[in-house]
Amino acid sequence: MKNEDKKNAAVTVLNAIERKYSADSFPGMISAAYVLWLAQKDKVVDIVNLTKFIYQNESYDKIRTFINDRLKNHWEEYRRYITAFDQETLEEVILSLSRGDSRANPIENTPDCILKLVYSILKIQKNDSVGEFGTGYGKFLFHAFNQEPQASYWGNEISTDASVIAMIKSVIVSHGKIRIVQEDIFGNTEAKNQQFDKIYCFPPANLRTSLLTNARSYLAKQSPSLPEIKGNVSSEWVFMLKMQSCLKASGRAVMLTYGRPLFNQLDNEIRKYFLWRKMIEAVIQLPGRILNMTNIAPVLIVFNTGDDVIQRSEKIHMIDASSLGEKMNRNTVLRDKDVTQIIDALNGVKKTWHTLVDYRDLICHGDMTPSLYLHQEIKVPYAKPFNDVVKQITRGAMISSSEIDELLSEKYTPYHYLTISNINNGMVDDNLPCLKEIKEKHKRYCITSRSIVLGKNGTPSFKVAVVEPKKGQIILAHSNLYIISINEEVANPYYINAFLNSETGAIVLNQIAQGIAIKSLSLQALRDMSIPVPSMEEQNKIAALYQAEMDKVAFLKQKMEKALASLKNFEVF
């Protein structure tokens, strides 16, 4: 029987037994496979008393308790399989078995290509002490140990199941050389006085600091120079503080996370804290679909302690590796050559998707998203801030979907509702949804004639159009739209529409947008955006030509709709 067939046969047996006793069969399957592995290792042919056998053959109290809790009441079902599977097969089962739900176990399911990249960035050497905070089932530590077994490895995990399973795997992979402890990294723990040369962490996503009780206590004991961290600050920065405090002089750490902590306005002060101290070496934007549980492109933040803040680099590597990798099935995979290219960029080899940015510029800009610093430079003639040509910018009405459903009318009314989906090719659809009424509190969100509407989010591009309601028509704007009233003494709305819908305008909008998976425009960024404002005579000429082209498109669209209607009504007989 082939090795894969043997492994599958063992998994089938373990799963069939454990599913009788628990909806979550995974911990029991690992426990049973480990006991059978111990029996094979010690050439035991029968285990009558599980508790006695585990006490004699396993030195970790947590593993003993874990196995007894899961197998004691049904160990008899496994006795006939003690000699059924060889040691190598059982090792393969323990090291490869997973829960299968990648969304629930992001750390366990971190792709090997990311682990390779992190290992290469950390440059783990023999005699290095390496820590992983929130190790899950220990996947990164085992990967690193296989590359450099002479370093020392330590990982913590708050989950009982995950930490003990990691301990079991450590026995098999490293004969216990990789130390795993169950603890909250922010508590009064073993990590409190630990110092590491290298640290890796993939913290929980989208957690607010207010939800982490021990983290709040940890922050209360920090230096007065640390800016006040309120409950809504992204917890990733608190994990970074903890990592930084556990790094030795000249140590290096890597955090895998999502893009929000790079640009979230609430994190601005804590970002400055790290930037002023020149602790951040690099920000690496990875491709979307590289993690199994999400389409969102993750980022790696590389930082260090350094011996002296004065000696640390004034520049930070901004690497946009989102275009690298190979599409395989539904996911993206970084090939070995992609990993090498990213490491080359960190070592100074010039790449088009890499640049060095002064930390002061990052502090001023307030956003650490790499793609913002790698756009082609757009020189705008007659440049003025957008705020100079607008009278007012407001958001559309915040109305729940259920309330809109109640307001929608099947019959024609003068009241209409405009959403992003009703804007196409720089024009508003002719047939907007009708509403039964527009409530008094929402009337201030109705669009005045010749106003520009601009989508707040770009999916993938930002939609823009001029709105001119017909006589008697009242149009209410959705909350995802900006309503922009133009000062027509300075600018022609149709000229502004032409610019923002142009290729150059699209680049300008994308350069001021924030976010990685979904780009969004902040009100302040929009007001500060540079646009070309030539003379009114020049603007009017451009606007007239643009409107003429729009009329052609509208005519052709109308013609196509009639032709499609004719096809639907075409009679064969």
Side-chain angles (χ1 to χ4, degrees):
M1 189 184 291
K2 294 179 181 178
N3 288 341
E4 189 66 22
D5 293 335
K6 288 180 181 179
K7 186 189 84 172
N8 291 338
V11 169
T12 300
V13 168
L14 297 171
N15 190 44
I17 294 173
E18 284 307 310
R19 284 177 67 85
K20 298 177 190 176
Y21 301 96
S22 174
D24 182 7
S25 61
F26 179 67
M29 290 170 70
I30 293 289
S31 299
Y34 184 59
V35 176
L36 296 175
W37 178 82
L38 286 172
Q40 282 289 323
K41 186 168 75 76
D42 294 339
K43 297 181 173 52
V44 174
V45 294
D46 193 12
I47 301 171
V48 178
N49 186 320
L50 175 67
T51 304
K52 183 179 179 182
F53 175 79
I54 291 299
Y55 184 82
Q56 291 174 340
N57 292 274
E58 175 52 57
S59 58
Y60 290 106
D61 284 337
K62 283 187 179 292
I63 295 180
R64 292 173 184 167
T65 303
F66 184 80
I67 290 173
N68 269 314
D69 287 348
R70 280 150 187 81
L71 301 182
K72 189 175 181 181
N73 294 332
H74 59 280
W75 171 248
E76 281 299 316
E77 292 212 43
Y78 284 109
R79 286 183 64 190
R80 60 192 171 123
Y81 294 106
I82 289 172
T83 58
F85 306 109
D86 59 68
Q87 190 174 342
E88 185 181 349
T89 297
L90 292 165
E91 283 184 11
E92 185 67 22
V93 169
I94 293 167
L95 297 179
S96 65
L97 195 63
S98 68
R99 289 183 186 273
D101 184 356
S102 59
R103 290 170 297 177
N105 298 280
I107 298 174
E108 178 190 7
N109 288 278
T110 302
D112 289 342
C113 62
I114 291 182
L115 301 183
K116 286 181 184 177
L117 177 57
V118 171
Y119 179 84
S120 298
I121 292 169
L122 289 176
K123 298 179 181 176
I124 295 172
Q125 307 292 319
K126 66 178 181 179
N127 302 323
D128 272 352
S129 56
V130 182
E132 182 180 12
F133 295 172
T135 190
Y137 299 109
K139 190 174 180 182
F140 171 73
L141 292 178
F142 302 139
H143 173 87
F145 177 84
N146 285 332
Q147 301 298 313
E148 182 46 82
Q150 293 188 58
S152 64
Y153 296 92
W154 181 96
N156 85 301
E157 173 55 47
I158 196 169
S159 160
T160 300
D161 281 11
S163 61
V164 176
I165 289 169
M167 290 176 195
I168 289 171
K169 291 184 177 184
S170 171
V171 172
I172 291 171
V173 172
S174 68
H175 305 293
K177 290 180 182 177
I178 299 172
R179 178 162 173 74
I180 308 291
V181 296
Q182 183 193 354
E183 63 176 23
D184 181 343
I185 197 68
F186 297 111
N188 188 16
T189 60
E190 187 175 304
K192 186 176 180 182
N193 299 313
Q194 291 265 24
Q195 291 287 292
F196 302 98
D197 297 293
K198 310 288 166 60
I199 302 177
Y200 169 63
C201 180
F202 183 7
N206 300 320
L207 263 186
R208 294 302 179 196
T209 303
S210 57
L211 301 175
L212 302 172
T213 304
N214 285 332
R216 295 200 305 272
S217 301
Y218 168 76
L219 287 171
K221 300 171 186 174
Q222 298 308 300
S223 164
S225 64
L226 184 70
E228 182 183 2
I229 297 180
K230 298 179 181 178
N232 285 331
V233 169
S234 301
S235 62
E236 287 88 341
W237 291 107
V238 188
F239 276 90
M240 281 184 66
L241 283 169
K242 181 64 178 178
M243 293 164 75
Q244 182 264 330
S245 71
C246 292
L247 271 179
K248 293 180 182 178
S250 300
R252 177 180 271 188
V254 175
M255 175 180 284
L256 175 65
T257 184
Y258 301 101
R260 187 177 178 82
L262 301 179
F263 60 81
N264 182 19
Q265 194 167 3
L266 290 168
D267 298 336
N268 198 38
E269 292 305 312
I270 188 66
R271 277 197 298 272
K272 287 181 182 178
Y273 177 85
F274 278 90
L275 289 168
W276 276 122
R277 285 157 182 76
K278 306 178 190 175
M279 288 189 283
I280 296 176
E281 285 187 44
V283 182
I284 305 168
Q285 195 165 300
L286 298 176
R289 290 189 176 275
I290 197 169
L291 294 175
N292 296 325
M293 59 283 188
T294 179
N295 296 337
I296 298 174
V299 294
L300 291 173
I301 303 174
V302 184
F303 62 101
N304 61 44
T305 48
D307 293 325
D308 190 334
V309 68
I310 297 172
Q311 295 177 8
R312 292 182 216 160
S313 175
E314 302 284 318
K315 304 280 188 180
I316 294 172
H317 294 274
M318 287 285 151
I319 297 175
D320 183 1
S322 57
S323 62
L324 301 185
E326 181 181 2
K327 302 292 185 292
M328 297 183 68
N329 298 322
R330 297 180 60 188
N331 286 359
T332 302
V333 176
L334 289 176
R335 299 155 296 189
D336 287 347
K337 66 178 183 180
D338 299 319
V339 171
T340 300
Q341 284 196 76
I342 293 170
I343 298 303
D344 285 347
L346 284 171
N347 291 331
V349 178
K350 192 172 182 181
K351 306 287 182 183
T352 57
W353 35 265
H354 163 255
T355 190
L356 288 165
V357 180
D358 193 288
Y359 77 92
R360 297 176 192 84
D361 293 338
L362 289 167
I363 290 170
C364 292
H365 195 285
D367 191 327
M368 288 169 53
T369 306
S371 57
L372 291 177
Y373 302 92
L374 287 157
H375 285 301
Q376 64 193 89
E377 186 180 353
I378 299 294
K379 292 184 179 179
V380 178
Y382 314 108
K384 284 188 178 181
F386 191 48
N387 198 51
D388 286 3
V389 304
V390 303
K391 286 182 179 177
Q392 187 179 31
I393 304 178
T394 58
R395 288 277 299 278
M398 294 285 290
I399 308 176
S400 67
S401 299
S402 58
E403 191 176 353
I404 284 294
D405 289 342
E406 290 177 8
L407 287 170
L408 287 173
S409 171
E410 293 183 7
K411 296 179 181 179
Y412 179 82
T413 73
Y415 310 115
H416 295 79
Y417 189 54
L418 177 63
T419 68
I420 287 178
S421 62
N422 302 123
I423 302 171
N424 294 289
N425 301 313
M427 295 179 282
V428 174
D429 292 346
D430 290 330
N431 300 312
L432 297 176
C434 289
L435 302 174
K436 295 169 188 172
E437 63 172 337
I438 294 177
K439 295 180 179 179
E440 189 64 36
K441 65 179 180 179
H442 294 141
K443 286 184 178 177
R444 63 194 179 108
Y445 304 110
C446 292
I447 306 167
T448 56
S449 185
R450 293 172 67 85
S451 288
I452 290 174
V453 286
L454 168 62
K456 183 177 181 291
N457 298 321
T459 53
S461 58
F462 292 94
K463 293 187 174 183
V464 193
V466 176
V467 179
E468 288 209 57
K470 296 171 186 173
K471 188 174 180 181
Q473 188 183 40
I474 302 173
I475 301 176
L476 179 67
H478 185 273
S479 60
N480 276 345
L481 291 171
Y482 284 118
I483 307 166
I484 305 167
S485 175
I486 298 294
N487 179 355
E488 296 202 35
E489 292 183 3
V490 182
N492 184 316
Y494 282 96
Y495 162 76
I496 300 296
N497 188 41
F499 170 71
L500 294 178
N501 275 296
S502 69
E503 187 176 337
T504 301
I507 292 171
V508 170
L509 285 171
N510 271 292
Q511 285 186 350
I512 66 165
Q514 295 179 321
I516 294 174
I518 298 175
K519 299 279 189 180
S520 65
L521 295 168
S522 72
L523 183 58
Q524 190 57 52
L526 190 58
R527 289 186 179 280
D528 294 340
M529 174 180 68
S530 289
I531 62 164
V533 186
S535 67
M536 283 300 297
E537 182 183 3
E538 184 68 21
Q539 288 185 53
N540 291 337
K541 283 180 185 177
I542 294 169
L545 290 169
Y546 189 73
Q547 282 180 276
E549 292 300 317
M550 287 174 68
D551 289 343
K552 286 181 189 177
V553 172
F555 174 73
L556 291 170
K557 182 183 173 187
Q558 204 172 44
K559 235 179 143 179
M560 186 179 71
E561 287 172 352
K562 285 181 180 178
L564 288 171
S566 296
L567 282 175
K568 285 182 181 178
N569 297 320
F570 188 78
E571 295 290 344
V572 177
F573 299 104

